[in-house]
Amino acid sequence: AAAASIEDPARHNAEALKTAVRTLNSFGITSVQDAATMDYALEALHRHDEQGELAVPVVASMPSRTFIEPGTTGPDLYRIGAEHRSAHLRPDFSKYVLDGVPMTRTSAMLNPYICTHHTHDPNFTGEPLGELGDLVSSLEDLVDRGLHAKLPATGDAAVRRVLDAVEAVRRSRGYGAIFQIAHVEYIDEGDLRRFADLQVVPDASPYLWFPSVIQESIAKQIPAETFDKSWPLRDLFEDGALVSGGSDWPCAAPTPDPWTGLETMVTRRNPDPSVGGELNAGQGLDLRQAVAAFTRNPAAAMGLGDVTGMLRPGLSADFIVLDQDIFRGNPSAIHRTKVLRTYFEGVCVYDTADSVEEDAAGEPVLQAD
């Protein structure tokens, strides 16, 4: 009904995507991977790029099957993606979904959920979506098409299912394709090393805010021995995995602000000092590791490592100017970082001065972007 009320869907989508790009630039983001890219988004992004209005490379993740909204998926969508490839639009990934979320007891877990009602099965662990053999076959077909895969998996059993499938695909198809597991909140200790061995990217998303409503809800469903080992990022990093930070925006966070995520990778605490507690504090990264997880690592994870992610000759001149040196201050203040200017391919695409205008009384008014 909401979609039917929009008089001009194409114009609506175009404006929404333009606003999204401006918002990304305002937070210092110069490249992005969209987690679920449908045909209308591919068409609008391609048009923006042809008109010189796409100030970020967009790596598209095209759904392998319907999971959020109706529309074209799978091979038919892959063909549409190929037709709309442009200088800054890269329809290179397919999106798979392996399970749900722990709050609703739909994550696939290795250990049973906590029983909180007399109707609960004390042995219930949830189930991964789909069979292992089907996933292997689908991923092999995807690799044969020259595509990569983003596979969200919130439970440790779902993570293991992906790793088992990737191991089979690596044996049959080699190591050319990129495989990302999104969220990676829970990983069994026996599977940690497999990320580096199989060259699977742990896409750490959403942000590590704790305590929070989300985490409080999860703790009521997941046993403590699993919950207390959330997001083992240090182990993954030290094993050699390509730990990459994401936002899950707009699903899990109100903005794509990378500074909150970067800070919490280090502190493992909620940025609000009035909220106590830590989340698996021993797995915090040092600041340089966390910066890598938001710069060169995700660039490589998106297939953009030869384009951006570092400042060096031969790469795109993508850089930002900040209001503070995050390496000199307290890590707990990183979330306050403001981007003054964002440069994409050497051109300033965001200047905070352009986002301020005066109202009738001469007071500054901050604009939405």
Side-chain angles (χ1 to χ4, degrees):
S5 69
I6 298 174
E7 294 183 0
D8 188 345
R11 180 179 178 182
H12 173 84
N13 293 331
E15 288 302 315
L17 288 166
K18 284 183 180 179
T19 300
V21 171
R22 289 196 299 269
T23 300
L24 291 166
N25 289 156
S26 73
F27 284 100
I29 297 170
T30 58
S31 58
V32 65
Q33 180 167 358
D34 183 35
T37 318
M38 302 298 285
D39 52 359
Y40 61 83
L42 291 165
E43 293 165 2
L45 289 166
H46 176 85
R47 188 160 49 250
H48 288 338
D49 201 16
E50 293 297 293
Q51 296 170 350
E53 298 176 344
L54 194 56
V56 290
V58 177
V59 177
S61 305
M62 301 168 287
S64 62
R65 61 184 182 184
T66 302
F67 74 102
I68 289 181
E69 58 183 313
T72 304
T73 59
D76 291 338
L77 183 58
Y78 306 156
R79 284 189 285 273
I80 294 172
E83 293 168 358
H84 288 85
R85 179 180 295 276
S86 58
H88 300 114
L89 176 58
R90 296 195 175 200
D92 291 342
F93 281 74
S94 178
K95 169 73 169 285
Y96 289 71
V97 177
L98 273 295
D99 63 351
V101 292
M103 297 84 80
T104 58
R105 303 168 73 92
T106 52
S107 291
M109 307 299 299
L110 293 173
N111 296 315
Y113 283 90
I114 297 171
C115 286
T116 57
H117 192 269
H118 71 274
T119 61
H120 286 164
D121 177 357
N123 298 311
F124 179 69
T125 59
E127 291 288 339
L129 300 177
E131 298 296 325
L132 176 60
D134 294 337
L135 180 58
V136 171
S137 297
S138 181
L139 291 177
E140 287 178 335
D141 176 71
L142 194 73
V143 173
D144 292 342
R145 295 174 182 272
L147 296 173
H148 312 294
K150 175 180 281 292
L151 303 106
T154 61
D156 48 12
V159 168
R160 180 171 291 179
R161 174 67 60 87
V162 176
L163 293 170
D164 289 346
V166 172
E167 186 171 359
V169 175
R170 292 300 193 205
R171 286 196 299 265
S172 65
R173 297 298 191 273
Y175 282 74
I178 301 171
F179 295 104
Q180 305 171 355
I181 302 182
H183 305 309
V184 293
E185 184 167 4
Y186 304 110
I187 307 170
D188 185 77
E189 291 180 359
D191 290 324
L192 285 170
R193 181 66 198 179
R194 299 177 73 193
F195 279 82
D197 291 343
L198 295 171
Q199 295 181 19
V200 174
V201 177
D203 172 12
S205 165
Y207 296 139
L208 303 175
W209 287 29
F210 181 80
S212 69
V213 173
I214 290 177
Q215 294 299 332
E216 289 174 359
S217 178
I218 292 174
K220 295 177 182 178
Q221 308 295 340
I222 301 296
E225 59 266 29
T226 300
F227 181 83
D228 292 343
K229 296 178 181 178
S230 300
W231 277 297
L233 301 185
R234 178 174 288 277
D235 287 343
L236 288 166
F237 207 107
E238 292 180 351
D239 280 342
L242 198 68
V243 175
S244 299
S247 68
D248 208 20
W249 175 67
C251 294
T255 73
D257 184 350
W259 308 104
T260 301
L262 197 156
E263 175 182 318
T264 56
M265 277 189 170
V266 177
T267 66
R268 309 288 293 213
R269 299 177 65 89
N270 192 304
D272 184 348
S274 69
V275 182
E278 296 175 329
L279 181 60
N280 198 3
Q283 288 294 320
L285 301 180
D286 68 38
L287 184 52
R288 292 189 179 278
Q289 289 172 327
V291 169
F294 274 88
T295 54
R296 67 170 184 263
N297 286 9
M302 291 187 286
L304 298 175
D306 60 345
V307 176
T308 189
M310 292 181 286
L311 292 176
R312 71 179 191 189
L315 297 187
S316 180
D318 304 336
F319 57 94
I320 55 181
V321 180
L322 307 178
D323 68 341
Q324 66 168 329
D325 182 348
I326 63 173
F327 289 99
R328 292 182 180 274
N330 189 322
S332 63
I334 291 174
H335 71 279
R336 300 193 186 99
T337 302
K338 302 297 181 184
V339 176
L340 302 180
R341 290 184 295 280
T342 300
Y343 289 82
F344 174 64
E345 296 181 342
V347 176
C348 183
V349 294
Y350 171 78
D351 190 326
T352 188
D354 297 334
S355 298
V356 177
E357 63 180 33
E358 293 183 352
D359 61 16
E363 296 295 326
V365 178
L366 186 64
Q367 300 302 298
D369 63 351

